[in-house]
Amino acid sequence: MMLNVFDDHTDLSFQAARIICDQIKAKPDSVICFASGETPLSAYSLFTTLMMAEQIDYEHFTLIGLDEWVGVPPENHGSCAWFLRTNVINPLNLLPGQYRLFDGMTSDLPGECVAMDEFISERGGLDLIVVGIGMNGHIGFNEPGVSPDLYSHVIELDEITSTVGQKYFKEETRLTKGITLGISHLREAKTAMLLASGERKAPIMKATLEGEISMEVPATIMREHPNGLVLIDQKAASLLTARE
Ligand code: GLP
């Protein structure tokens, strides 16, 4: 795993965008998983701008949505689907066959998990997975205590996740379950890139990078990834021992 500390969120976002672009440049049929959330927002905007400015061919790349709130429809602005459509899929005009997002409204959640896993494996697995980190160390909706051997699955949300998750919604929304790619997807991805920014992420980044590797803090699995990249800003790095 490689740790890169940037001056601020803007520098971090430029580097993350560059890495995603370069992945598609090097392998036009890349399969890339995108997280939602505040952290990668600027990186995605820079990514779509760079792709067009540099005229990089992206007709053959596939986008995978990392996770979704169960029971939240895609037209809700707080859904992960709405986020990825607005910030990546629509700006790039991706074709319907070029992406797959979890349907959090389906009556067949187990079938939705199988369909996602098949979609990814039929395309040769993930080349790059871009993830953020929850305040409790979750990745996607892989909450503390999750099995590291899972692929797509449905999970009861941790209280911290349900509470913090309200920030994405205009109105208070009942958030009880999530559907998500699993830690196995991250472990098997050729490259895994974790982004974290701001002071509020400093304690969990300390636990992630300096605590015991354990599924109590799912993000610690990044340290075992042979091609793991952790991009954080100075504020998120402020509690790291080596930087004191
Ligand atoms: C959310 C999502 C994650 C996201 C994380 C951090 O609950 N399930 O995929 O990476 O929390 O979000 P943010 O970047 O808004 O802090």
Side-chain angles (χ1 to χ4, degrees):
M1 188 211 84
M2 210 168 78
L3 171 67
N4 268 318
V5 180
F6 296 87
D7 281 348
D8 55 28
H9 186 237
T10 306
D11 284 0
L12 176 157
S13 301
F14 267 106
Q15 183 61 14
R18 188 70 263 162
I19 288 170
I20 307 171
C21 285
D22 288 349
Q23 171 64 45
I24 299 175
K25 241 184 190 173
K27 184 172 183 279
D29 64 348
S30 287
V31 182
I32 305 181
C33 173
F34 288 72
S36 307
E38 290 173 350
T39 313
L41 189 56
S42 312
Y44 294 167
S45 160
L46 291 163
F47 158 64
T48 56
T49 305
L50 277 174
M51 291 300 282
M52 287 182 280
E54 296 181 10
Q55 298 184 324
I56 300 168
D57 168 24
Y58 53 83
E59 271 176 33
H60 304 289
F61 114 89
T62 303
L63 176 149
I64 304 290
L66 175 65
D67 53 8
E68 187 56 278
W69 309 97
V70 169
V72 173
E75 56 278 9
N76 184 318
H77 290 197
S79 70
C80 300
W82 190 89
F83 176 93
L84 288 176
R85 279 185 192 281
T86 308
N87 298 302
V88 186
I89 295 168
N90 294 347
L92 290 179
N93 271 321
L94 297 187
L95 300 170
Q98 248 188 300
Y99 60 88
R100 198 174 200 298
L101 307 174
F102 281 118
D103 175 3
M105 294 300 286
T106 179
S107 55
D108 179 15
L109 289 167
E112 183 67 7
C113 291
V114 172
M116 178 60 96
D117 291 348
E118 283 177 0
F119 187 89
I120 294 171
S121 61
E122 277 162 10
R123 283 159 184 76
L126 297 173
D127 292 291
L128 171 64
I129 183 168
V130 181
V131 299
I133 181 168
M135 297 295 283
N136 59 1
H138 75 206
I139 283 188
F141 283 130
N142 289 275
E143 299 282 33
V146 73
S147 159
D149 301 322
L150 291 176
Y151 290 91
S152 296
H153 60 282
V154 175
I155 190 164
E156 293 285 331
L157 296 178
D158 194 273
E159 217 182 302
I160 297 176
T161 305
S162 312
T163 309
V164 175
Q166 297 300 327
K167 70 177 176 173
Y168 305 116
F169 295 88
K170 284 200 186 102
E171 292 167 2
E172 197 172 325
T173 307
R174 213 171 108 78
L175 303 171
T176 55
K177 286 185 183 169
I179 181 167
T180 181
L181 295 197
I183 294 295
S184 285
H185 284 115
L186 183 134
R187 288 163 56 203
E188 292 174 15
K190 292 184 189 80
T191 302
M193 176 163 71
L194 183 144
L195 311 177
S197 161
E199 262 162 35
R200 70 197 171 98
K201 293 284 170 77
I204 198 62
M205 284 317 300
K206 184 174 177 64
T208 297
L209 297 172
E210 296 179 356
E212 186 195 335
I213 297 179
S214 134
M215 281 298 106
E216 287 313 308
V217 180
T220 54
I221 199 76
M222 285 296 298
R223 283 157 54 196
E224 290 187 339
H225 197 292
N227 208 8
L229 306 172
V230 175
L231 273 52
I232 60 178
D233 62 12
Q234 289 283 4
K235 287 181 176 165
S238 57
L239 296 178
L240 298 183
T241 306
R243 308 190 64 78
E244 273 170 4

